[in-house]
Amino acid sequence: MKSRVWTTINFDAPGIQSDFARVPYSSDTSAYGWIPVPMLCFNGGKGGPTALLTAGTHGDEYEGQVALRKLVRELAVTKLQGRVIILPALNLPAVAAGRRTSPLDGGNLNRVFPGNPEGGPTAAIAHYVTTELFPLADLVIDLHSGGSSLDYLLMALARPGRNQGEAEAIRRLLKSFGAPYSLVTDGANGGAGATLYAAAEQQGIPALTTELGSGSTLSEPGLVIAESGLRRVLRDHGIAPDME
């Protein structure tokens, strides 16, 4: 079923565009309202690969949100051979509240993939990513950290892939990102097949996620890893070959 979420961004047009993924949400204050999930598209117009970069899947995890906002400024002055789509606050209701889950429907966005277009806001966001953004992407990075309840090693995680070719592409992505620790896992007890990167795997897209901090604060080492890892991936995959 087609997503009910929409945007004015033309992903095929060269240049820089910014708008929202507009998630329909009927509430007491707005019968025909919508939730604005910020989104930017940087298109070098040269037919290169596309990177889909997300953060704020959980609203109390800040390293990825800050890293993507800083990357936006860098990409504005970087020559691209491909395309970068950035959603730095993917679950905006949770981000605005500083919570792991959405205050609108209680949804944990990283437990509802591939989503439901007729579900609540959280499920609708997941469905939009799965059906509209994944088909555009050649690689996916979903940045996470421990948030207010968890303490993690600084690491990147990826699922094993469905075949040898996909496994090699995933391991290349992990190596390029270059976190201090990398783990290939089936995600058991951590969301398994209902996570964003698991949904990407099911479409054959190399994807990784991260854990880059802990507590309801900002980890400076985690932020540095996110920033440097994103730059390496964009350079090594030929999207921003001049990025340092």
Side-chain angles (χ1 to χ4, degrees):
M1 184 178 297
K2 184 174 176 57
S3 174
R4 295 170 58 233
V5 179
W6 62 280
T7 182
T8 64
I9 291 176
N10 177 355
F11 295 102
D12 294 325
I16 303 171
Q17 299 173 75
S18 64
D19 188 42
F20 305 102
R22 301 165 189 244
V23 184
Y25 180 61
S26 181
S27 67
D28 291 338
T29 58
S30 181
Y32 298 99
W34 49 274
I35 299 163
V37 176
M39 181 163 56
L40 300 99
C41 178
F42 298 82
N43 190 340
K46 300 183 184 299
T50 293
L52 173 62
L53 310 177
T54 61
T57 302
H58 296 135
D60 62 346
E61 301 173 5
Y62 303 112
E63 289 76 9
Q65 297 180 52
V66 174
L68 288 186
R69 283 167 169 81
K70 295 177 74 172
L71 181 65
V72 163
R73 294 196 293 269
E74 293 184 46
L75 291 178
V77 294
T78 300
K79 292 183 179 179
L80 298 181
Q81 302 295 324
R83 181 172 56 180
V84 184
I85 301 170
I86 297 178
L87 294 94
L90 184 60
N91 191 353
L92 184 66
V95 168
R99 291 175 43 174
R100 179 175 177 85
T101 58
S102 172
L104 300 181
D105 59 11
N108 180 341
L109 180 54
N110 216 32
R111 298 295 184 273
V112 299
F113 279 85
N116 179 356
E118 301 299 333
T122 305
I125 293 169
H127 184 265
Y128 177 72
V129 172
T130 302
T131 60
E132 301 292 334
L133 298 183
F134 279 173
L136 303 174
D138 297 293
L139 64 94
V140 172
I141 297 178
D142 183 35
L143 296 168
H144 285 258
S145 48
S148 57
S149 66
L150 296 166
D151 187 5
Y152 281 112
L153 289 172
L154 303 177
M155 65 188 308
L157 304 96
R159 289 176 62 91
R162 302 173 302 173
N163 55 54
Q164 183 176 349
E166 291 179 7
E168 291 174 355
I170 290 167
R171 289 178 180 273
R172 178 193 173 200
L173 182 59
L174 284 170
K175 183 177 180 180
S176 179
F177 188 82
Y181 299 93
S182 296
L183 176 67
V184 176
T185 173
D186 64 4
N189 300 317
T195 60
L196 188 152
Y197 76 124
E201 179 196 41
Q202 289 304 306
Q203 294 195 25
I205 309 167
L208 66 79
T209 189
T210 65
E211 298 296 353
L212 296 175
S214 60
S216 53
T217 184
L218 181 71
S219 164
E220 186 65 28
L223 179 60
V224 170
I225 291 166
E227 291 177 318
S228 59
L230 290 167
R231 293 191 198 102
R232 276 193 300 272
V233 167
L234 294 179
R235 183 190 65 229
D236 295 349
H237 286 75
I239 299 170
D242 298 329
M243 181 165 275
E244 297 182 359

